[in-house]
Amino acid sequence: MRPFETVKVAVRRRINHIFNDYEAGERPALRRADALFPTSSVAWRVNGDIVTMMIGGVSGLLLQMLHPKVLAGVWDHSDFRADMHGRLRRTAKFIAVTTYDHAAAGRAAIDKVNRIHARLGGELPDGTPYRVTDPDLLAWVHVTETISFLNAWISYQQPDMSAADQDAYFDEMARIGLALGADPVPRTRADAEALIQSFRPQLKADDRTTEVAALVMRQKVGGLAEDAAAGVIMQAGADLLPDWARAMHGLPGASPLTRRAAGTMARSLDWVYTGSPNRQVWPEEVKAWPDQL
C-alpha cells in the first residue's frame, strides 16, 4: 500500500468510528444503486461530503432551536447535556441511510423516526402545548436543515453551483420531509427562503436557547486533532447562519482564518475519500460493511 494510501485509510477508519458506535454494532452506510435517491441525484453529491454536512448540521441545529417548540422538544425529550455528540451523530446516520442505503433501509429509518415523534410532546414554559408531529414544526426542522446543508456545500465545495441544481436539491429532499410529515415542504430555493422568513415572528432566544447552543458550540469528540477540527466546524456552522439568527444567538462570525481552515479541511477529506469504499456503489451480495476497511 502506498504511503499516502495508508494515511487515507487511517483517517477514514478514525472518522468511521467517530460517526458510528462500533460497540453497538453500527457501521457506515453502504451506498446502493437502489437507494431512495438515484446515484445521479444532487442529494448524492451534497449529502456525502462529511465536512460540509457537519458544518450545515451545526448551522441547521442552531437555526432550529430558535423555534420555541423545537427547543422544547430537545429540552424535554433529549439527553442533550450528556450526549450532544450522539444527537449529531444520529442525524448524520439518518441522512446517510436515507440518501445512500437500500430504499427499504431508508424507509425503515424514516418509519423509526415517525414512531418516536408520535410519542413526543409537552408544554412550553408558558403552558402552550406542542406535539413533535405538528406538520408546521416539522416543516421548520426540514427547511432549516436542508438549506443549511446546501449553503455549507456551496460555501466550501461548490461556490458556482447552478440555481437549477440548488432547486433540484430542495425538490429531491422534499421526499424525506414529506415522509416525515412536514407541511409545507419547499421545492425550490426561493420557496425555502420564503418559508424561513415566514417563521421569523415565531422565533426567540432565551436562557434555554443559550444553554443548548453553548453545548453545541463546545462539542468534544476525543483527541486533540479531532477536537481542533470540531472547533473549526462549530465556528463555521455558526458563521453560516443568517445575520439575524447569529445576532439572536449572540454568536460571532468566523474569522477569515477559520473559513480557510474549514475549506482546507473539506478539500483534504474529499481527497481522503476519493476512490474509497465509502464512495463505492456496492453490489447486492454485499450485505454489511467490511470491517477490514
Side-chain angles (χ1 to χ4, degrees):
M1 185 180 292
R2 296 189 304 273
F4 279 149
E5 191 61 29
T6 301
V7 172
K8 292 167 74 171
V9 169
V11 172
R12 292 198 300 263
R13 284 177 176 167
R14 176 57 184 146
I15 292 173
N16 286 346
H17 280 266
I18 289 173
F19 284 97
N20 298 273
D21 187 346
Y22 269 61
E23 291 185 2
E26 287 185 0
R27 297 296 185 272
L30 294 170
R31 295 188 176 200
R32 304 290 188 174
D34 70 340
L36 289 174
F37 301 105
T39 59
S40 59
S41 64
V42 180
W44 265 56
R45 188 195 324 161
V46 173
N47 292 357
D49 188 87
I50 289 176
V51 173
T52 60
M53 287 298 284
M54 289 304 295
I55 291 172
V58 169
S59 186
L61 185 56
L62 291 170
L63 256 183
Q64 288 165 12
M65 71 177 67
L66 291 174
H67 195 300
K69 292 182 179 179
V70 173
L71 180 66
V74 174
W75 193 273
D76 295 341
H77 304 290
S78 173
D79 189 18
F80 65 92
R81 292 181 182 84
D83 193 28
M84 182 59 77
H85 174 62
R87 178 184 174 86
L88 294 170
R89 183 167 61 187
R90 287 188 292 274
T91 299
K93 174 65 73 174
F94 178 82
I95 295 296
V97 170
T98 55
T99 304
Y100 301 109
D101 207 340
H102 283 301
R107 287 190 290 268
I110 291 168
D111 290 343
K112 180 180 179 180
V113 170
N114 283 336
R115 288 194 299 271
I116 293 171
H117 283 175
R119 303 194 301 264
L120 305 181
E123 292 185 349
L124 303 186
D126 65 3
T128 302
Y130 73 89
R131 296 292 307 173
V132 172
T133 51
D134 175 2
D136 194 58
L137 194 60
L138 292 168
W140 172 249
V141 172
H142 174 76
V143 69
T144 51
E145 184 174 83
T146 306
I147 201 168
S148 296
F149 289 151
L150 183 60
N151 285 345
W153 169 261
I154 293 168
S155 295
Y156 292 105
Q157 284 288 21
Q158 194 183 359
D160 61 348
M161 187 180 198
S162 70
D165 275 0
Q166 293 182 48
D167 286 347
Y169 183 70
F170 285 105
D171 190 55
E172 291 167 4
M173 293 297 287
R175 179 173 189 173
I176 305 301
L178 291 169
L180 290 171
D183 185 31
V185 173
R187 296 282 188 168
T188 67
R189 183 176 189 101
D191 289 345
E193 291 175 346
L195 184 57
I196 289 173
Q197 289 300 314
S198 75
F199 273 98
R200 285 189 60 183
Q202 302 176 47
L203 308 182
K204 63 178 290 187
D206 57 20
D207 290 344
R208 300 206 307 184
T209 317
T210 300
E211 180 176 341
V212 178
L215 283 169
V216 172
M217 294 302 294
R218 62 171 180 257
Q219 274 304 290
K220 303 292 184 184
V221 294
L224 292 177
E226 291 90 341
D227 285 346
V232 170
I233 286 170
M234 301 305 163
Q235 293 175 56
D239 184 61
L240 202 66
L241 289 168
D243 291 344
W244 55 264
R246 196 166 56 250
M248 290 179 72
H249 275 295
L251 292 170
S255 68
L257 179 61
T258 296
R259 292 175 187 145
R260 285 196 295 273
T264 299
M265 196 186 311
R267 291 187 296 274
S268 297
L269 287 193
D270 186 50
W271 170 76
V272 164
Y273 279 93
T274 296
S276 74
N278 299 73
R279 291 185 177 176
Q280 177 180 338
V281 180
W282 291 81
E284 173 63 31
E285 58 266 23
V286 179
K287 302 296 183 183
W289 180 261
D291 277 341
Q292 72 271 21
L293 298 177

